Amino acid sequence: MSPAPEGPPPLAEDEVRSLARLANLDLPDDEIRRLTGDLGRILAYVRQLEELDVTGIEPTAQVVPGFGAEGAAGRPGAPSVEPTRVELRADEPHESLPHEIALREAPRTSMDGFAVPGFVEED
Amino acid sequence: MDATVLDRSIPELAGLVTRGEVSAEEVTQASLDRITRRDGALGAFLTVQAEEALAAARAVDQKRARGEALGPLAGVPIGIKDALCTRDAPTTAGSRILLRPASKGEATLDPRRGFRPPYDATVVARLRAADAVLVGKTNLDEFAMGSSNENSAFFPARNPWDPSRIPGGSSGGSAVCVAAGLALGALGSDTGGSIRQPAALTGTVGIKPTYGRVSRYGLIAFASSLDQVGPFAADVRSAARLLGVIAGRDPHDATSLGAPVAAYEEACGRDVRGMRIGVPEEYFAEGIAPTVEKSVREALAGLASLGCELRPVRLPHTRYAVATYYVLATAEASSNLARYDGVRFGARAEGAESLGALYAKTRGEGFGREVARRIVLGTYVLSSGYYDAYYLRAQRVRTLIRRDFEEAFREVDVIAAPVSPTVAFPLGERVDDPLAMYLADIYTLPASLAGVPALSVPCAPTPAANGVPSLPVGLQLVGPPLEEARLCALAAAWEGISPARGLRPRQPWGLRSDEPSYAPEPPVSEA
């Protein structure tokens, strides 16, 4: 479980602060400090993945057949029930949420829309 | 009416209602009464929809009176994990961020002010169509992130076997709801063990179906390549009936599978002689409590006594499952949870002068500590420079974990293993050590990463010792994709000879005399 020497550096508080900013999370300094410690420990544990040689191993993004996961069905040991390929629906218009329902849960509305602070002047 | 009708199985109760031997309204009232009496000490429900439930029950009774056929869940009270959308009824995901802003004089933290979805999740709609009665929304770890239910923004759920202990998570409220007999069944969601682990720790049956077997439409997303909805019940047949109702293709979820839904309930009672059961030694490694190992090994001997053949199997990448999962699940979560921004629904921070500040302040105030931790971790593993080292590598290791199962299922029909390395632990024991909490998911994560079906069925509870009461232990059964019926058959056969059969917590509603009451106000009806 020892981290590989060429691995990414341990997280610094400033790095966590900028990650929180990227994630749109305004967190107080004591939370950033705490988070820095927690993430450092978690990442040190996660580094054990570096022990494995994954050269030539395809990444799994999805396990559903038809979504780039054709592996399971058809191989030896495959299920007795074959999953069918996912079918896409016809590209036809269908009903969507009525306007007033879509706005019902908004904390603030204005002129039949969602109200937000002005942002045009922002960079 | 005799409230013990709530201690029947789901097929039995639905039969009683269908034959008119008991009315759905009486059953529903009995469930609501039990919630009022017992749930103050347990915290299984965040909100209870009493009026809506009674109205739904009366509609079932009227349907019967008109001579119409009733559905397979006629009059059966069900709890719904509060990560599932229920039309017009508060849905919080256990988070502050889905609460509408409080008016003056309102409590800031009241789940009754939760987001009111404009539609039902597909699984919820299917339960209603089967004439089930939805009594309320059950407690959970915030956005289903946790293994103890302590990450609920509102209050923790407690284990009915010992209210000083956690019920497991994230679907803790659903497990408690069934274990304490508040309702006959419940729905949960399982991303890395969130159905199986609480089922094991509360002595209930919980099924995580094959990824794609059950629609995720209307399930508040946590990690979309892993999330799956599944049932809880007190016995295997009841859980099988629920699964049969919710499973199947849904045009609203492109990842739902079109394969025919198997006859899960009918599979219970099927002969299991000759079934080849794989026992992975990786699941009995360092860290498992001796009492848990003993109970699970006794269950394995029980399967052998039923005529099953036990065989050792190897799942060599098991030890990498925790690291793999906490990279992939947090990456997906950081993306999925970007939608909570204070604009279209839920909470909104006051006093933000720019759009960016509105997002950051709303999210900083609205998300709890564990959710923030996972969002930041997910942001890190997806950031350029680290993407290959963490995210892409974890996806490749996920392939290795999947292949472990493919290899194993060439040799065996089912894999049998523990669910959790320990019994339910005391509240507060692990809250400050997220890594310790993650490590305890080691036995449930691999099946989630592989997308294969798995369930937890009770085996012998641990003996009471040193002031610790007897506590439930779960046996995990894992099958190849879409072989839920095989798992039900084996689980039902085991259940028939299990020492845990019919065991219920003796005083699920009672606090010990030295326990402080933690929930000052019991959840109240929406009406």
Side-chain angles (χ1 to χ4, degrees):
Chain A
M1 229 187 77
S2 56
E6 72 281 4
L11 280 178
E13 233 173 88
D14 275 351
E15 199 174 358
V16 173
R17 199 170 280 111
S18 71
L19 284 168
R21 201 162 38 239
L22 275 174
N24 282 320
L25 282 171
D26 185 1
L27 298 176
D29 281 345
D30 55 335
E31 280 301 312
I32 294 284
R33 256 192 306 281
R34 187 186 179 114
L35 202 51
T36 306
D38 288 345
L39 295 185
R41 280 185 293 279
I42 295 166
L43 288 170
Y45 177 80
V46 164
R47 291 249 189 110
Q48 67 176 290
L49 295 181
E50 293 168 13
E51 295 166 12
L52 288 167
D53 181 4
V54 292
T55 319
I57 307 289
E58 284 298 307
T60 293
Q62 253 293 352
V63 295
V64 173
F67 282 81
E70 316 300 340
R75 288 195 193 173
S80 55
V81 189
E82 290 286 316
T84 53
R85 202 181 168 84
V86 172
E87 278 178 36
L88 301 179
R89 70 169 171 82
D91 185 15
E92 289 161 352
H94 58 277
E95 266 185 60
S96 54
L97 279 186
H99 196 84
E100 64 279 10
I101 299 289
L103 287 173
R104 177 177 82 171
E105 295 293 312
R108 208 157 302 161
T109 55
S110 168
M111 296 183 290
D112 289 335
F114 300 108
V116 294
F119 57 88
V120 179
E121 290 82 3
E122 278 188 11
D123 184 17
Chain B
M1 196 201 57
D2 184 5
T4 57
V5 72
L6 296 173
D7 301 324
R8 303 277 197 134
S9 75
I10 288 176
E12 281 171 354
L13 182 71
L16 291 176
V17 171
T18 301
R19 292 190 300 274
E21 292 171 38
V22 61
S23 75
E25 185 175 4
E26 288 173 306
V27 175
T28 301
Q29 192 60 57
S31 168
L32 295 170
D33 290 347
R34 265 201 186 170
I35 293 170
T36 304
R37 281 202 314 278
R38 299 181 180 182
D39 201 38
L42 297 173
F45 284 92
L46 292 178
T47 57
V48 175
Q49 283 78 48
E51 290 311 313
E52 294 89 333
L54 287 166
R58 282 190 288 266
V60 172
D61 291 332
Q62 285 156 8
K63 202 169 158 183
R64 185 181 178 279
R66 288 193 302 269
E68 292 175 40
L70 296 187
L73 299 174
V76 176
I78 307 277
I80 303 293
K81 185 178 187 178
D82 207 20
L84 286 161
C85 287
T86 43
R87 185 174 185 152
D88 297 335
T91 300
T92 67
S95 182
R96 289 170 179 266
I97 210 163
L98 273 168
L99 298 187
R100 294 192 298 279
S103 311
K104 277 215 169 60
E106 279 186 329
T108 50
L109 204 55
D110 186 339
R112 289 174 294 175
R113 268 206 334 282
F115 167 66
R116 290 163 304 181
Y119 62 91
D120 275 332
T122 296
V123 289
V124 168
R126 287 189 181 191
L127 291 183
R128 293 194 209 274
D131 290 324
V133 173
L134 312 187
V135 287
K137 306 297 293 287
T138 59
N139 206 347
L140 69 161
D141 287 299
E142 184 177 2
F143 285 103
M145 297 179 189
S147 313
S148 71
N149 217 298
E150 294 167 291
N151 296 334
S152 168
F154 304 106
F155 44 83
R158 291 173 175 247
N159 196 314
W161 295 83
D162 176 354
S164 73
R165 289 170 189 271
I166 59 107
S170 67
S171 312
S174 292
V176 174
C177 155
V178 169
L182 308 181
L184 273 71
L187 294 188
S189 64
D190 191 313
T191 305
S194 283
I195 291 173
R196 289 161 286 160
Q197 185 253 20
L201 302 190
T202 59
T204 51
V205 175
I207 306 176
K208 181 204 89 77
T210 308
Y211 181 84
R213 179 66 295 181
V214 174
S215 167
R216 293 180 294 111
Y217 181 68
L219 170 66
I220 293 174
F222 159 18
S224 303
S225 80
L226 297 155
D227 294 341
Q228 189 60 191
V229 179
F232 286 89
D235 62 274
V236 178
R237 279 173 197 272
S238 298
R241 178 166 295 196
L242 285 173
L243 179 60
V245 168
I246 61 173
R249 170 89 181 131
D250 173 16
H252 287 119
D253 176 1
T255 60
S256 66
L257 299 169
V261 174
Y264 307 119
E265 192 179 340
E266 288 72 8
C268 302
R270 197 197 281 170
D271 192 359
V272 299
R273 265 176 301 182
M275 208 182 264
R276 299 165 303 166
I277 312 291
V279 181
E281 283 312 311
E282 290 87 354
Y283 282 60
F284 295 89
E286 197 185 342
I288 188 169
T291 49
V292 171
E293 174 162 7
K294 182 167 181 284
S295 177
V296 172
R297 292 217 187 260
E298 281 169 10
L300 296 176
L303 298 181
S305 78
L306 291 166
C308 298
E309 180 199 335
L310 300 186
R311 290 188 187 187
V313 287
R314 296 283 327 277
L315 296 168
H317 297 94
T318 300
R319 57 180 299 229
Y320 300 103
V322 175
T324 303
Y325 175 85
Y326 281 95
V327 170
L328 298 180
T330 58
E332 294 186 27
S334 75
S335 165
N336 270 326
L337 271 60
R339 74 191 64 176
Y340 304 100
D341 58 7
V343 174
R344 288 157 302 156
F345 41 69
R348 176 183 180 109
E350 288 302 320
E353 290 179 358
S354 70
L355 189 59
L358 174 68
Y359 293 160
K361 207 155 177 269
T362 299
R363 291 162 60 81
E365 292 171 6
F367 290 131
R369 185 171 280 156
E370 179 63 22
V371 174
R373 189 153 47 215
R374 295 198 194 192
I375 289 173
V376 174
L377 180 58
T379 305
Y380 177 74
V381 301
L382 287 176
S383 56
S384 64
Y386 300 118
Y387 180 91
D388 286 2
Y390 289 107
Y391 185 68
L392 193 60
R393 176 168 284 264
Q395 283 191 317
R396 294 187 200 278
V397 180
R398 185 176 186 182
T399 303
L400 297 176
I401 291 169
R402 282 175 60 201
R403 285 187 190 165
D404 279 358
F405 283 97
E406 286 174 19
E407 294 292 326
F409 286 127
R410 289 175 204 212
E411 310 290 331
V412 298
D413 303 305
V414 174
I415 290 167
V419 178
S420 165
T422 67
V423 291
F425 49 87
L427 268 90
E429 190 180 270
R430 297 181 192 171
V431 279
D432 291 323
D433 191 349
L435 188 55
M437 194 80 94
Y438 298 172
L439 290 174
D441 297 340
I442 178 69
Y443 302 145
T444 51
L445 296 177
S448 294
L449 290 164
V452 295
L455 59 75
S456 177
V457 58
C459 45
T462 58
N466 306 325
V468 177
S470 174
L471 292 166
V473 176
L475 170 69
Q476 183 174 208
L477 302 176
V478 185
L482 294 175
E483 293 294 354
E484 287 84 357
R486 188 189 292 171
L487 299 182
C488 288
L490 187 59
W494 160 245
E495 186 179 57
I497 61 164
S498 168
R501 184 187 169 86
L503 281 188
R504 292 271 192 169
R506 259 194 297 190
Q507 268 205 317
W509 55 95
L511 290 168
R512 294 199 322 250
S513 54
D514 57 338
E515 273 287 314
S517 173
Y518 76 96
E521 297 168 273
V524 194
S525 155
E526 262 301 288

